[in-house]
């Protein structure tokens, strides 16, 4: 368990829940620091599933099939958490049709010292990867900007998380955010808007190669090629 004083100093929140897991003789702690998931966020999530994927659901539940690794491009844990915490996007205008106000989010956030924080349940939809949110668990890493490259401790924590999640769910793919458009035309790709794409470079192919090498025993499927 991370000491309460240490946690408050790092992120300034008052509630802490810690869970310790042991995988391949490596002990890691997953610290729960939930982002806001109020009725507004629940309704926006269900709307997102319906409007972007054609999935009419009574709940926000997903069945994880893949893990997507990211970086936040924000240099601190506190600011990275704040970016995900609110329910709606900054400057969202609900009067605009066909535009979701659901804020971006991720299931996990890994600090530069390797500490793993869980922001939301693993089987609830987070908005982190176009076309694939309905089946993807997101792992965000603090940093990624110039002068704040991802650290070796973050790499080790990402490897741990992939092993933990692959042992818990039927994970078929582990991808970097920069690879998401390779799934266009794949059965898992459900985005209805052909014009809704963004260019991504995170978390970098070197980072992905190292994660894949360390988790090769799970025999994840290769990323589709076009």
């Amino acid at each position: 368990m991370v000491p309460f004083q240490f946690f408050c100093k790092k992120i300034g929140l008052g509630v802490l829940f810690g869970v310790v897991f042991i995988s391949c003789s490596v002990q890691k702690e997953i610290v729960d620091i939930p982002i806001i998931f109020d009725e507004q966020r629940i309704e926006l999530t269900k709307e997102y599933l319906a409007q972007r994927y054609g999935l009419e659901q009574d709940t926000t539940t997903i069945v994880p099939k893949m893990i997507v690794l990211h970086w936040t491009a924000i240099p601190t844990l506190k600011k990275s958490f704040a970016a995900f915490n609110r329910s709606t996007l900054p400057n969202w205008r609900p009067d605009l049709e066909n535009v979701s106000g659901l804020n971006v989010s991720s299931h996990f956030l890994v600090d530069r010292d390797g500490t793993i924080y869980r922001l939301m349940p693993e089987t609830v939809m987070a908005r982190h990867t176009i076309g694939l949110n309905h089946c993807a668990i997101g792992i965000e890493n603090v940093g990624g900007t110039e002068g704040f490259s991802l650290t070796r401790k973050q790499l080790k924590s990402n490897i741990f998380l992939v092993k933990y999640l692959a042992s818990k769910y039927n994970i078929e793919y582990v991808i970097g955010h920069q690879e998401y458009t390779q799934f266009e035309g794949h059965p898992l790709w459900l985005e209805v808007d052909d014009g809704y794409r963004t260019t991504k470079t995170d978390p970098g192919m070197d980072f992905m190669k190292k994660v894949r090498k360390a988790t090769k025993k799970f025999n994840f499927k290769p990323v589709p090629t076009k």
Side-chain angles (χ1 to χ4, degrees), residues 177-197:
H177 197 188
Q178 73 267 22
E179 299 174 299
Y180 83 96
T181 56
Q182 294 297 113
F183 283 83
E184 292 178 8
H186 188 278
L188 290 179
W189 180 268
L190 295 185
E191 176 56 50
V192 299
D193 184 353
D194 291 337
Y196 181 44
R197 305 287 187 275

Side-chain angles (χ1 to χ4, degrees), residues 38 53 63 65 72 104 107 129 142 181:
D38 54 12
Y53 300 149
V63 177
K65 294 291 184 182
T72 66
V104 293
H107 299 87
T129 305
V142 174
T181 56

Side-chain angles (χ1 to χ4, degrees), residues 6-37:
F6 169 78
F7 179 72
C8 288
K9 182 178 180 181
K10 290 196 70 177
I11 196 152
L13 297 179
V15 180
L16 169 66
F17 302 93
V19 183
V20 174
F21 296 94
I22 297 176
S23 175
C24 300
S25 301
V26 176
Q27 179 172 305
K28 286 283 184 179
E29 184 176 30
I30 297 178
V31 183
D32 286 305
I33 52 169
I35 56 174
I36 294 169
F37 217 94

Side-chain angles (χ1 to χ4, degrees), residues 9-222:
K9 182 178 180 181
K10 290 196 70 177
I11 196 152
L13 297 179
V15 180
L16 169 66
F17 302 93
V19 183
V20 174
F21 296 94
I22 297 176
S23 175
C24 300
S25 301
V26 176
Q27 179 172 305
K28 286 283 184 179
E29 184 176 30
I30 297 178
V31 183
D32 286 305
I33 52 169
I35 56 174
I36 294 169
F37 217 94
D38 54 12
E39 283 300 319
Q40 184 180 33
R41 198 168 203 149
I42 290 170
E43 290 306 311
L44 287 171
T45 301
K46 290 191 290 186
E47 287 178 9
Y48 191 99
L49 286 163
Q51 294 173 2
R52 306 223 71 91
Y53 300 149
L55 298 175
E56 298 284 349
Q57 298 185 188
D58 293 329
T59 70
T60 59
T61 302
I62 66 168
V63 177
K65 294 291 184 182
M66 70 166 57
I67 301 166
V68 185
L69 308 185
H70 306 256
W71 63 40
T72 66
I74 300 172
T76 68
L77 173 69
K78 184 175 181 179
K79 289 182 179 179
S80 295
F81 179 87
F84 301 130
N85 191 33
R86 60 181 295 167
S87 296
T88 60
L89 288 168
N91 303 316
W92 175 48
R93 288 180 55 192
D95 56 305
L96 294 177
E97 294 183 1
N98 301 320
V99 177
S100 175
L102 178 65
N103 196 16
V104 293
S105 55
S106 186
H107 299 87
F108 294 93
L109 180 61
V110 181
D111 199 3
R112 290 173 53 76
D113 66 1
T115 306
I116 300 170
Y117 297 97
R118 180 162 41 206
L119 307 186
M120 55 189 292
E122 297 148 13
T123 55
V124 169
M125 196 207 88
R127 183 179 185 178
H128 58 96
T129 305
I130 293 171
L132 301 167
N133 292 312
H134 68 97
C135 64
I137 293 176
I139 300 174
E140 288 277 359
N141 291 277
V142 174
T145 53
E146 186 175 353
F148 294 93
S149 299
L150 300 188
T151 67
R152 183 166 180 79
K153 290 181 178 180
Q154 284 175 308
L155 173 63
K156 290 182 177 180
S157 292
N158 278 248
I159 291 168
F160 168 80
L161 271 176
V162 169
K163 290 178 178 179
Y164 159 66
L165 293 169
S167 298
K168 190 174 181 180
Y169 303 105
N170 183 27
I171 300 298
E172 299 177 7
Y173 298 94
V174 175
I175 73 170
H177 197 188
Q178 73 267 22
E179 299 174 299
Y180 83 96
T181 56
Q182 294 297 113
F183 283 83
E184 292 178 8
H186 188 278
L188 290 179
W189 180 268
L190 295 185
E191 176 56 50
V192 299
D193 184 353
D194 291 337
Y196 181 44
R197 305 287 187 275
T198 55
T199 301
K200 298 296 181 180
T201 59
D202 57 315
M205 288 313 301
D206 182 64
F207 193 87
M208 290 307 305
K209 287 177 183 177
K210 290 174 180 176
V211 170
R212 287 178 174 136
K213 182 178 180 180
T215 59
K216 62 183 180 180
K217 72 172 186 178
F218 290 97
N219 296 313
F220 298 122
K221 296 179 181 179

